[in-house]
Amino acid sequence: GSGITRTLPKTATSYTWTLMIFPATSYTFRLQAVDNAGNKSAEVMVTVTTRPDTIAPSTAPVITVEHVNDTYVSLRWTAAVDDGPYLFYDVWINGQFFASTGTERSATIEQLTPETTYTFAVQARDRGNNLSPFSPPVTVTTAAPGSVDTTPPTRPETTCRPSGENPT
């Protein structure tokens, strides 16, 4: 259905398809022989259903706190390990589900209360909805209002010297 075509050498008797294959999904493949003159045989259709994914991601993500302000926290985490290529991540705050980040391995949690302690954890989920262990929890206390430096530094100044002039 996706319109992807593979041409195999005439000696091939099998092919392993791995592109965009998901667990517990049916796929229909159409097979056809074509000779050097471009003549095509009748088409054969084969429908297969992939097995369900029953293996959970084996490792928990590890969270790194990248920035803490009075109203937000920026987090990044390591990838979990799984037997399939697609992993999605869920962020938990104080033991409650907060949001999914899809395949992204970072998040900025906004609209937090200043001077408040939060505990963050991340859990990976694969295409079969199998869950990894939770990351080790990370506890962060947001800053006091106005205590974080938000003023950018001044623009650097440069001094230009004529070519060949020695600095003194």
Side-chain angles (χ1 to χ4, degrees), residues 23 51-59 80-84 86-90 123-133:
R51 292 186 295 239
D53 181 354
T54 59
I55 300 172
S58 61
T59 60
V81 175
D82 192 43
D83 62 336
Y86 303 102
L87 283 175
F88 309 94
Y89 296 92
D90 299 332
Q123 188 173 43
R125 182 174 30 87
D126 65 15
R127 282 291 292 208
N129 282 323
N130 302 300
L131 302 173
S132 75

Side-chain angles (χ1 to χ4, degrees), residues 154-161:
T154 59
R155 188 177 104 198
E157 296 295 325
T158 59
T159 304
C160 295
R161 295 191 177 104

